Amino acid sequence: MIQDFERATTERLLLRAVSANDLEAVFALHSDPATNRFSRAGYMRTLDDARKTLGLWLEDWAREGVGYWLVERLDAPGVVVGLGGVRHKELEGQRVLNLAYRFAPQTWGSGYATEVSRFALALAAKHLPDVPLVAIIHPENTASLRVAERLGMRLDRTIDYDGCPSRLFVTG
């Protein structure tokens, strides 16, 4: 595991690797229709769905030493407000780091997605500079599009992502 990725803090947030104890938090974030409005899979309906997703993310950490974080506010320890970071995936036959962020609706507009993503981009540039970093965003998800632009990512092209036209943003 790349130690810098496992547990870190930003100005306002604790970023920690997902753990087997995070099933309820993963389900809470992914079962809310509002937080999944632009998700190609829609919102999670069962804890078993969350268990499968969490299992994939735990495998990422075990195999790659990198994966998505659960995010807590430093002033509210133990309260998960979102998820973010990077994980390896294959896109169009190429190994990439996928940048993702999803936060509870009550935190929207707080800048948390930008804060977490800026930190993730810096760590990826330091530790995994040879792996292309991308963000795949639904074209109607204006808030996520703004985050990618604020981070200095550039729109590369529109791709078909699991049957949904999506905007592919890249770094550099």
Side-chain angles (χ1 to χ4, degrees):
M1 185 170 303
I2 301 171
Q3 293 304 314
D4 287 352
F5 277 96
E6 187 176 10
R7 186 176 185 89
T9 57
T10 64
E11 181 181 328
R12 303 178 293 167
L13 304 169
L14 168 67
L15 317 176
R16 62 175 179 78
V18 294
S19 76
N21 297 324
D22 290 324
L23 181 64
E24 293 290 335
V26 169
F27 184 67
L29 279 171
H30 290 83
S31 64
D32 183 338
T35 64
N36 291 276
R37 180 173 167 213
F38 300 107
S39 171
R40 68 194 190 298
Y43 64 91
M44 285 183 182
R45 289 175 170 58
T46 68
L47 273 175
D48 196 48
D49 293 336
R51 193 173 288 107
K52 289 175 190 168
T53 297
L54 181 58
L56 289 173
W57 295 343
L58 291 170
E59 287 175 22
D60 288 340
W61 281 101
R63 184 180 57 250
E64 307 288 349
V66 174
Y68 294 147
W69 296 301
L70 282 187
V71 179
E72 301 175 14
R73 289 185 5 214
L74 288 175
D75 65 356
V79 178
V80 174
V81 296
L83 174 123
V86 295
R87 75 181 284 259
H88 288 278
K89 74 181 304 169
E90 188 168 310
L91 179 67
E92 299 176 331
Q94 181 180 22
R95 184 174 167 84
V96 299
L97 285 171
N98 183 60
L99 174 68
Y101 34 88
R102 176 165 296 166
F103 286 85
Q106 64 269 27
T107 69
W108 293 353
S110 66
Y112 291 165
T114 302
E115 188 173 330
V116 169
S117 298
R118 188 166 281 129
F119 191 83
L121 291 177
L123 281 182
K126 177 180 176 183
H127 293 288
L128 302 161
D130 297 330
V131 183
L133 197 142
V134 304
I136 304 164
I137 304 172
H138 190 285
E140 295 174 17
N141 190 343
T142 55
S144 285
L145 294 169
R146 282 194 305 270
V147 169
E149 291 165 356
R150 257 194 304 277
L151 295 169
M153 297 182 82
R154 67 173 172 78
L155 176 61
D156 187 64
R157 65 189 184 280
T158 298
I159 63 169
D160 181 326
Y161 187 61
D162 290 342
C164 180
S166 298
R167 296 196 178 154
L168 181 69
F169 281 80
V170 298
T171 55

